[in-house]
Amino acid sequence: MTHILPEKGISKQEIFAQLKQKQQQDFDWRTGRIFCSVYLAGKEIEEIAKEAYSMFLTENPVDPTLFPSLRDMETEVVAMCSEVLQGGENAVGTLTTGGTESILLAVKTAKNRAKALNPTQTEFELIIPYSIHSAFFKACDYFEVTPIVIPLRPDFKADAKAAENAISKNTILIAASAPSYVFGIVDPIKEIGVIALNNNLLFHIDACIGGVVLGFNRLAGLENVPEFDFSVPGVTSISMDLHKYGYTAKGCSVLMHKDKTYRKHQYYACSEWTGYTLVNPTILSTKTGGPIAAAWAVMNFLGKEGYCDISRKTMNTTHRFIEGINAIDGLQVVGNPEVSLFSFTTTKGNPYDLFDELNEKRWFVQFQLSNEYCPANLHLTVSKIHETLVDEFLIDLKACHEKVQKKGLVKKATEKVTIETVKKLAQNLSSENFEKLGKMLGFSNGAVPDKLALINRIMDVLPPDTVRNTLIDYMNDFYTVNEKR
Ligand SMILES: Cc1ncc(COP(=O)(O)O)c(C=O)c1O
């Protein structure tokens, strides 16, 4: 076994030299040539978030009596979010570490409330649209709730009637997106709200990615902003991530409830053990106070005016991207996106090849596998920084698209063999075949292949279970110290 913990500590200077060196491997996100994972609104905001985060790095919200500063900042941030979401006098909330944690807690809240109201209930169901974020499936997996997936209408919005038909005695919650990550399209919140009210059900809005933009679009007086918040009758909880379009530090989302009677079911207290008194509003116990302070600082720095200005500009940038992409022969934006994120498909050439070509030009968009409603596509999450990059991106996109079309037929012929082989291997998944399959996909020794088009195309034709297992195997390898990487 190789030893990696140094016998004697390394100097501070050397440590930071090494950290800088490690950072060289990463995507240079400061250029803005990336359309996922980071949200940029300029250096000043980044610095404010960083400084505030560092100030409260060591403070720990696990005990708010020790750190009243964190409790104060959290309640103020939550109150600001409540204003954005029209929560009125009674809405309450909690800061979590991200969208996933907010969603996990929304589902846990619904299950605990159902159990409190009906202690004999043993089956729990959650109604979700086809386009909802994977975090809901994760919540179902963690908390033993059955997901009941409803279809979409031709405009990619959830079919409200199908939601109504899916209600059973086991239903604990209906959820919908504002907007869905996949398409950037808002579900019919008002329609589903009526159904939730009529059936006395909880209704959660996943506004993780778009809540801040939609909220400030409304406050900025933009036209045709879809209604999605507590002003819609029937909505009982909303998740909204501040570490996305709130432009604060990572590790910050808010889970809002219509009032305290709902939030109560989110909390966990333990009296069974012999240690310190434990009552947690969130899943984690000990954590850093950094994200709370960063959110407080950035929100106060930007204020309503700052966010409205960013929102207006980002929507304008998004419309320029959408018009430019639709103007390229063979590319088509999916549906009518209503926030600052969207996906587009290719009617000519393959989107995965296009992804690789764009990558070669140092643009990072996100690929999405095909689904029941839409072929494989590429996804863009637009933020403030993209304002100055629209023209350059569109020129490169057009050039890459033309290149892919020229190369397309040759590639297809050579890859057909591989895809057929992979499909055969997948039919008989012995551990040996599984390893072979992983290797063919380029998933060996945790290595990341240079080109992802073939892998994506193959994943698209494999059964979901095989894809899931392959991804888990890959990740299991990836997080090991590996000299070859
Ligand atoms: C609509 C939506 N919900 C939930 C999440 C999960 O958020 P997180 O990655 O912060 O856990 C995302 C992430 O992009 C999202 O877009």
Side-chain angles (χ1 to χ4, degrees):
M1 187 187 152
T2 47
H3 296 284
I4 191 149
L5 179 68
E7 203 55 46
K8 282 188 194 304
I10 303 172
S11 72
K12 184 176 163 191
Q13 200 185 15
E14 175 60 19
I15 291 288
F16 283 96
Q18 285 195 26
L19 283 176
K20 276 224 164 82
Q21 202 186 352
K22 284 187 186 297
Q23 219 167 24
Q24 298 292 312
Q25 311 167 70
D26 298 347
F27 194 95
D28 188 4
W29 49 267
R30 279 201 176 80
T31 58
R33 294 170 80 91
I34 182 164
F35 292 91
C36 59
S37 298
V38 287
Y39 297 77
L40 297 169
K43 191 122 192 72
E44 194 175 23
I45 295 169
E46 186 197 331
E47 276 168 7
I48 287 168
K50 225 178 225 175
E51 220 172 289
Y53 193 108
S54 305
M55 261 181 88
F56 286 85
L57 176 78
T58 313
E59 280 76 355
N60 187 350
V62 76
D63 187 346
T65 60
L66 269 181
F67 304 107
S69 60
L70 294 177
R71 193 209 72 104
D72 278 4
M73 284 189 281
E74 175 160 348
T75 47
E76 286 174 33
V77 169
V78 167
M80 290 189 244
C81 293
S82 182
E83 265 181 69
V84 176
L85 297 170
Q86 305 194 76
E89 289 300 306
N90 296 329
V92 291
T94 305
L95 292 186
T96 71
T97 54
T100 300
E101 192 184 3
S102 291
I103 289 166
L104 291 177
L105 285 171
V107 175
K108 175 206 176 287
T109 302
K111 185 172 174 183
N112 283 13
R113 181 174 172 273
K115 284 200 299 194
L117 294 177
N118 177 10
T120 60
Q121 183 167 350
T122 52
E123 303 285 324
F124 305 89
E125 290 174 0
L126 162 66
I127 297 175
I128 43 176
Y130 183 86
S131 54
I132 204 130
H133 193 272
S134 57
F136 287 89
F137 290 94
K138 190 176 191 176
C140 287
D141 191 46
Y142 280 19
F143 300 127
E144 296 186 339
V145 171
T146 308
I148 307 291
V149 181
I150 55 158
L152 306 181
R153 309 186 313 211
D155 59 359
F156 304 96
K157 290 176 185 265
D159 182 341
K161 192 77 202 141
E164 187 164 31
N165 292 339
I167 294 171
S168 79
K169 65 177 185 353
N170 298 327
T171 308
I172 56 166
L173 175 70
I174 307 179
S177 314
S180 65
Y181 181 84
V182 188
F183 303 122
I185 292 175
V186 179
D187 285 325
I189 306 299
K190 266 180 128 170
E191 261 180 83
I192 303 177
V194 172
I195 295 166
L197 266 184
N198 288 345
N199 290 277
N200 200 18
L201 282 170
L202 299 189
F203 181 26
H204 179 81
I205 308 302
D206 176 8
C208 281
I209 198 157
V212 174
V213 182
L214 284 168
F216 285 106
N217 282 352
R218 176 184 63 79
L219 289 166
L222 298 196
E223 283 176 9
N224 301 323
V225 182
E227 290 175 74
F228 76 104
D229 58 23
F230 287 112
S231 65
V232 179
V235 171
T236 52
S237 61
I238 304 177
S239 48
M240 178 170 84
D241 295 353
L242 301 174
H243 66 193
K244 294 190 171 85
Y245 284 110
Y247 295 106
T248 74
K250 295 250 181 347
C252 200
S253 166
V254 67
L255 173 59
M256 300 287 312
H257 298 276
K258 195 175 159 59
D259 63 52
K260 265 179 164 174
T261 60
Y262 297 97
R263 185 173 64 175
K264 194 174 121 176
H265 300 285
Q266 172 197 311
Y267 286 5
Y268 176 78
C270 182
S271 54
E272 281 87 351
W273 85 313
T274 47
Y276 53 84
T277 318
L278 188 126
V279 49
N280 290 154
T282 61
I283 294 175
L284 299 187
S285 234
T286 286
K287 57 185 171 186
T288 165
I292 300 173
W296 185 91
V298 171
M299 290 185 87
N300 277 300
F301 176 75
L302 282 171
K304 182 176 151 191
E305 199 178 66
Y307 276 117
C308 283
D309 184 52
I310 290 178
S311 237
R312 217 182 282 117
K313 286 181 175 148
T314 309
M315 286 312 293
N316 188 33
T317 307
T318 309
H319 293 141
R320 284 172 60 210
F321 274 120
I322 291 178
E323 277 162 28
I325 291 171
N326 278 339
I328 299 174
D329 183 32
L331 299 185
Q332 180 67 53
V333 169
V334 181
N336 291 309
E338 294 159 291
V339 193
S340 44
L341 53 147
F342 62 90
S343 52
F344 66 96
T345 54
T346 56
T347 51
K348 293 178 181 168
N350 189 293
Y352 299 140
D353 290 327
L354 186 54
F355 169 87
D356 278 344
E357 291 302 331
L358 283 168
N359 217 341
E360 226 166 83
K361 285 192 180 285
R362 302 299 294 158
W363 289 107
F364 195 90
V365 298
Q366 198 161 54
F367 56 80
Q368 298 188 134
L369 299 183
S370 63
N371 60 62
E372 253 178 55
Y373 297 87
C374 172
N377 57 82
L378 299 180
H379 186 278
L380 267 70
T381 301
V382 179
S383 62
K384 167 87 169 61
I385 198 169
H386 297 122
E387 208 173 7
T388 54
L389 297 168
V390 182
D391 295 337
E392 196 185 342
F393 176 79
L394 290 172
I395 290 169
D396 282 351
L397 178 66
K398 191 162 189 279
C400 289
H401 180 50
E402 278 163 11
K403 197 168 162 193
V404 165
Q405 287 179 77
K406 273 190 207 135
K407 289 203 308 193
L409 290 175
V410 184
K411 275 191 116 183
K412 251 183 215 150
T414 51
E415 282 170 12
K416 195 157 184 266
V417 179
T418 325
I419 290 174
E420 289 312 318
T421 319
V422 169
K423 268 185 169 170
K424 265 194 204 128
L425 283 177
Q427 272 163 16
N428 172 20
L429 271 187
S430 61
S431 58
E432 194 188 330
N433 274 357
F434 201 79
E435 211 181 314
K436 265 193 211 158
L437 182 62
K439 282 203 175 123
M440 289 192 78
L441 296 179
F443 294 170
S444 61
N445 286 325
V448 185
D450 285 345
K451 299 270 180 198
L452 293 174
L454 176 61
I455 293 170
N456 288 330
R457 223 173 291 180
I458 289 170
M459 286 211 291
D460 230 352
V461 298
L462 290 177
D465 271 356
T466 313
V467 173
R468 204 165 29 239
N469 290 334
T470 313
L471 288 175
I472 288 175
D473 251 32
Y474 168 67
M475 217 48 166
N476 205 10
D477 268 350
F478 196 60
Y479 277 92
T480 48
V481 177
N482 188 338
E483 293 300 319
K484 278 180 252 163
R485 223 169 28 229

